[in-house]
Amino acid sequence: MLGGLVGWLLSPIWFRPKRVRAADHDPTKLRAQPGDQLVFKSGDRKDEVIAAADVVAGEKPLVGYPYDPVNDVLRKGSRLNQILVLRLPPDELTEEVRARSVDGVIAYSAICTHENCPVTGWHPDHEQFICPCHETHYDPKNGARVVSGPAKRALPALPLTVKEGILIAAGGLTGKVGKRKSS
Amino acid sequence: MATNRSMRLLGGALVASALMLPAVAAADYSTVTDERLRNPEPENWLMYRGNYEGWGFSPLDQINTDNVKDLKPVWAYSTDVNEGHQSPPMVNDGMMFITTPENQTIALDAETGELIWRHQSEISEELFQLHPTNRGAGLYGDRVYLTTTDCFVVALDARTGEEVWKTAINDWELGYYMTMAPLIAEGVVMVGTSGGEYGIRGHITGLDAETGEIKWVTHTIPGPGEPGHETWETDAWKTGGASVWLTGNYDAETGISYWGTGNAAPWTGDLHPGDNLYTTSTVALRVTDGQIVGHHQYHWNDSWDWDEVSTPLLVPFERDGRQINGLVHAGRNGYLWLLDRGAGSNIGFVDAHKYVRQDVFTSIDPETGRPTYDVSKKPVVGKEIHFCPSLWGGKDWPPEAYNPNTGMFYIPANDNLCGSLIGEDVPLVPGELWLGVPIPDIKMYFVEGEKHIGEVQAWNLNTGEEVWSTKFESFNWGPLLTTGGNLVFAGGTRDRLFRAFHGDTGEVLWEFKTNSGITAVPSSYAINGKQYIAVQAGWGVDAVRMENSLSAERGWDGDMRPTPIGGVLWVFALD
């Protein structure tokens, strides 16, 4: 690998081949893509497709992985692909969030933008995601923006649509997943 | 026009910086020998707590109670990292080593602050760091030894920062990670692992300092057939915790190291019935073969997440006219424990004193030190149980300090914080958090009517009495340094202050407002006869978590501006 780096650095600038990483070739590692469905991450229905009806108002968020039904690819190759799905009253969502939702069902990246922990906590009274690592609270009704805690960036959203009752990604994630490197 | 030759020169320069060759060549490096570690020079800080006994004491006295008011910053260095900085500046004959979050190590000229080299371990982005920090390097021979958050021990050449070897201790994908400074003695590099929140089975590993080969692995939860295994009534021992995430102390006369162990997993004790050895204990390990030769469990069937991982200090004290080779530990459980390490095995109980509000123990057995519990204060599945101190304890990881000149024992404490938990029985998913308590059911709160949380306490171990306590409205995450000048140095509070206290009275004699809150271990060293005090500022990790838990209740963030973050190494001296 070091030899490759040296070769890359020493070659004239106009002749450098694009540096390609392994992840680019592995579809299980790709983040959620437009057209992907979502499957349950764990529990009795692990790996089963999540229908809109599975997302029940008043219950804590479901956690899923993206799934490409055309090529039968389950995007479990990176832990960072986890998605939170929940249902909230549509009239309590901001317009921006409502535009990405289906009858109040919304989805966000599950990966905290502070230190990449999975945001598995849920406050039922405040209806906020809580990251268990350092207690960042995010507001799903307002684009999963940070309410309190050390994270500086909202959770990227996954726009949703529905087809024959199954949730489908209507677009890619609205931002980069997880912690931003400083350099 | 750029020629091929000038492009190759440019490429060569880029490669050199990528390999992090020294910007300033290190002069002759002073090899760190066993003799030096047993008897460290006052002008150096060669290990995590300054000496093998864990005292956190510098014999230097140029800076003292008369002149500390004139202490001033002489240089500072930005670490390039925003997160909780915890490690002490190590100094060996003019060369300083600090570690920072993001698995970075920096070597600097301790007098001028000039950079010598930097090293950074690359960590998979798949790893999430529950405790994104590092508590220090270990120095031995001509090497610098580190642990990483993906559970490797790395040996670097101290002169250049180049990697010499790297050994995996366990699998980060199962939740094992490391943040501690290694203990190094008699050619053995010793480390434990974190992961008590992931249902690991804890262990301490000894490696050959020269080659990195693993010499022994000692589990802190005994397996079938091993003594202590009978204290686990079910299979919970396999995922029972007993992590070890702070540097052990060492008795060079007996060849025995002493370590603290963490919480039992998951949190509520009804999910792992039995005393659960050796969770929440001190264990004594022979350095040559890792054999456990003694232990003391501070509280049995842990149900409060009260890690007793903070390492006991090897301190002499008197009791009934007898001089005792003591082990002294300010417990997370809110008691100050005085133990007898005797001739090196079979740790005996001497005494215990409450040092913060504690409502769980109803008695302490005078022979064994075993507490009895108020059952209504012991968390279980399905019920909300309240207890004091909170799960953060009377003291978390920040170390105590001992001054041999005065005999004073100092504790960085937090009082008037209680908590509650509601347990749940959920299966472990390897590599994922496994607390056995839903996040919103982990509560902490300040006791109504009280006025302070943080304290620096001073104790006389011979009389078993608190001599003084300086109190703060803020909580206190400040590790302690005590010196020959009869001072105690510490940060730890939300106001970004680094303070010097009079060792006899606790009066604040000097303070300086740094860029961020300080949770790092301060150290002291001297070069050419001039004494320096050094500490990293940079708020984060658990101090931030505690701040978030309390700020609304305490009215700290009326304008939503918590303590600012950002790593800066500060060095102070007299004019």
Side-chain angles (χ1 to χ4, degrees):
Chain A
M1 186 183 98
L2 183 62
L5 174 67
V6 170
W8 185 80
L9 283 167
L10 292 180
S11 57
I13 286 173
W14 58 88
F15 196 59
R16 282 186 193 151
K18 180 172 179 292
R19 292 181 73 206
V20 176
R21 286 168 297 187
D24 295 352
H25 290 302
D26 183 351
T28 70
K29 291 194 156 89
L30 282 180
R31 306 286 177 251
Q33 300 294 307
D36 280 357
Q37 298 170 351
L38 296 166
V39 303
F40 288 90
K41 169 180 173 267
S42 60
D44 303 335
R45 297 187 57 194
K46 185 177 170 187
D47 292 351
E48 283 181 30
V49 168
I50 300 176
D54 291 325
V55 189
V56 178
E59 284 188 359
K60 63 180 194 170
L62 300 174
V63 186
Y65 274 105
Y67 168 67
D68 170 4
V70 173
N71 299 299
D72 189 27
V73 173
L74 179 45
R75 305 199 199 277
K76 251 190 190 176
S78 171
R79 182 184 67 71
L80 304 181
N81 287 348
Q82 293 176 63
I83 300 288
L84 298 168
V85 192
L86 69 161
R87 185 189 293 267
L88 292 167
D91 57 349
E92 291 180 19
L93 308 177
T94 63
E95 212 178 296
E96 166 199 57
V97 175
R98 215 171 19 246
R100 298 195 285 251
S101 71
V102 179
D103 289 336
V105 179
I106 50 181
Y108 294 98
S109 163
I111 303 302
C112 189
T113 58
H114 176 230
E115 287 285 349
N116 284 359
C117 294
V119 181
T120 52
W122 173 249
H123 201 303
D125 301 331
H126 300 160
E127 292 180 314
Q128 290 172 0
F129 302 128
I130 310 173
C131 181
C133 285
H134 309 98
E135 296 234 359
T136 294
H137 290 230
Y138 297 94
D139 181 0
K141 297 173 185 171
N142 184 21
R145 285 181 172 75
V146 175
V147 175
S148 63
K152 296 269 186 279
R153 205 162 59 86
L155 298 172
L158 185 66
L160 293 177
T161 182
V162 66
K163 189 171 169 192
E164 289 161 10
I166 303 294
L167 293 169
I168 311 260
L173 287 158
T174 56
K176 196 167 187 292
V177 164
K179 173 181 177 177
R180 273 212 185 111
K181 291 187 187 202
S182 51
S183 57
Chain B
M1 185 180 74
T3 63
N4 274 348
R5 180 168 174 275
S6 62
M7 286 306 293
R8 273 198 291 276
L9 285 173
L10 174 63
L14 289 172
V15 168
S17 60
L19 290 175
M20 289 171 286
L21 292 172
V24 173
D28 292 332
Y29 184 73
S30 295
T31 303
V32 176
T33 61
D34 287 300
E35 292 70 39
R36 289 185 68 203
L37 289 175
R38 288 189 209 115
N39 233 323
E41 308 86 32
E43 56 270 15
N44 286 322
W45 192 271
L46 297 180
M47 63 188 94
Y48 176 61
R49 294 308 288 135
N51 66 6
Y52 274 145
E53 291 89 334
W55 290 351
F57 170 71
S58 168
L60 299 171
D61 61 6
Q62 183 184 72
I63 301 169
N64 56 53
T65 52
D66 291 330
N67 60 25
V68 71
K69 61 181 173 15
D70 297 325
L71 201 60
K72 294 192 167 38
V74 291
W75 56 263
Y77 189 86
S78 267
T79 64
D80 280 8
V81 180
N82 289 336
E83 244 303 348
H85 290 57
Q86 301 185 353
S87 84
M90 311 285 207
V91 178
N92 178 20
D93 287 352
M95 200 158 165
M96 177 188 282
F97 304 94
I98 54 169
T99 64
T100 75
E102 307 292 340
N103 298 283
Q104 178 182 227
T105 307
I106 306 175
L108 299 151
D109 182 309
E111 190 173 23
T112 65
E114 289 302 317
L115 174 69
I116 301 178
W117 54 255
R118 296 173 98 105
H119 173 271
Q120 181 154 30
S121 296
E122 272 208 41
I123 307 293
S124 165
E125 67 171 3
E126 297 290 322
L127 171 69
F128 61 96
Q129 299 181 59
L130 186 56
H131 296 96
T133 190
N134 187 278
R135 296 192 184 92
L139 304 182
Y140 193 73
D142 295 330
R143 309 244 179 101
V144 175
Y145 296 85
L146 320 160
T147 62
T148 66
T149 50
D150 61 351
C151 218
F152 282 85
V153 175
V154 180
L156 305 178
D157 183 321
R159 283 164 289 223
T160 62
E162 281 176 41
E163 270 185 32
V164 178
W165 54 253
K166 188 168 161 167
T167 301
I169 299 304
N170 209 317
D171 188 352
W172 64 264
E173 292 189 277
L174 297 178
Y176 290 88
Y177 61 101
M178 293 193 289
T179 54
M180 53 177 281
L183 169 68
I184 311 177
E186 325 296 351
V188 186
V189 176
M190 289 163 275
V191 294
T193 82
S194 306
E197 278 68 53
Y198 295 89
I200 64 159
R201 180 184 171 209
H203 59 85
I204 300 171
T205 302
L207 301 93
D208 183 303
E210 186 55 39
T211 63
E213 272 180 65
I214 293 179
K215 290 166 61 91
W216 48 257
V217 177
T218 299
H219 282 100
T220 47
I221 298 181
E226 293 176 329
H229 182 73
E230 70 284 357
T231 63
W232 296 81
E233 292 172 19
T234 66
D235 271 353
W237 64 272
K238 296 179 183 169
T239 52
S243 54
V244 173
W245 46 272
L246 287 171
T247 314
N249 289 327
Y250 177 60
D251 187 337
E253 294 195 5
T254 60
I256 294 174
S257 61
Y258 297 89
W259 304 81
T261 63
N263 60 287
W267 284 359
T268 60
D270 50 349
L271 294 176
H272 42 83
D275 275 8
N276 307 145
L277 289 180
Y278 298 101
T279 63
T280 58
S281 301
T282 281
V283 289
L285 264 68
R286 206 159 48 202
V287 159
T288 48
D289 60 3
Q291 182 93 330
I292 296 179
V293 297
H295 75 277
H296 177 85
Q297 186 176 50
Y298 298 101
H299 59 271
W300 48 275
N301 192 241
D302 180 45
S303 303
W304 304 269
D305 189 35
W306 284 337
D307 297 55
E308 295 302 352
V309 69
S310 185
T311 313
L313 282 67
L314 277 59
V315 167
F317 61 88
E318 278 169 29
R319 189 52 50 104
D320 303 327
R322 248 193 337 134
Q323 182 78 353
I324 294 187
N325 287 342
L327 289 170
V328 181
H329 166 66
R332 188 109 153 225
N333 61 24
Y335 275 73
L336 174 63
W337 297 88
L338 278 64
L339 308 176
D340 183 351
R341 70 185 194 274
S345 54
N346 297 327
I347 301 171
F349 170 74
V350 177
D351 209 348
H353 309 282
K354 222 187 276 203
Y355 70 97
V356 292
R357 172 191 301 265
Q358 214 270 24
D359 66 359
V360 177
F361 298 171
T362 52
S363 69
I364 306 264
D365 184 293
E367 291 301 314
T368 64
R370 183 185 177 84
T372 51
Y373 299 146
D374 176 345
V375 164
S376 74
K377 302 288 181 187
K378 190 170 186 291
V380 291
V381 169
K383 246 173 95 172
E384 184 174 37
I385 299 284
H386 292 254
F387 53 92
C388 313
S390 75
L391 64 87
W392 298 108
K395 183 189 85 66
D396 200 289
W397 73 268
E400 313 95 310
Y402 169 72
N403 193 315
N405 297 343
T406 61
M408 291 276 235
F409 187 86
Y410 301 104
I411 305 175
N414 285 305
D415 202 351
N416 299 325
L417 290 178
C418 300
S420 69
L421 298 173
I422 306 176
E424 66 170 357
D425 188 359
V426 289
L428 167 65
V429 177
E432 296 195 5
L433 278 181
W434 190 50
L435 309 177
V437 180
I439 301 302
D441 294 333
I442 302 169
K443 298 210 168 99
M444 182 182 56
Y445 47 89
F446 182 68
V447 175
E448 270 309 311
E450 292 293 342
K451 303 229 176 348
H452 80 280
I453 302 176
E455 299 187 20
V456 176
Q457 300 178 358
W459 286 72
N460 179 326
L461 298 177
N462 297 334
T463 63
E465 281 167 6
E466 187 185 84
V467 177
W468 56 256
S469 171
T470 301
K471 298 172 167 39
F472 308 98
E473 198 238 340
S474 165
F475 54 76
N476 178 12
W477 277 84
L480 301 180
L481 165 72
T482 183
T483 69
N486 201 14
L487 296 164
V488 177
F489 285 92
T493 48
R494 299 179 65 242
D495 47 24
R496 298 161 24 215
L497 290 174
F498 186 50
R499 295 181 179 88
F501 304 81
H502 194 305
D504 290 339
T505 64
E507 184 192 346
V508 177
L509 298 178
W510 170 89
E511 62 189 27
F512 181 82
K513 196 176 274 283
T514 66
N515 61 299
S516 177
I518 296 170
T519 62
V521 179
S523 64
S524 187
Y525 62 96
I527 300 183
N528 296 328
K530 190 175 175 82
Q531 183 184 3
Y532 299 88
I533 308 286
V535 71
Q536 297 194 71
W539 200 239
V541 196
D542 291 329
V544 161
R545 204 194 274 127
M546 187 182 257
E547 191 169 50
N548 289 336
S549 296
L550 287 174
S551 70
E553 185 189 343
R554 299 296 292 143
W556 287 333
D557 287 335
D559 61 352
M560 298 300 287
R561 292 294 301 271
T563 307
I565 60 175
V568 175
L569 166 65
W570 290 88
V571 178
F572 301 89
L574 297 169
D575 260 334

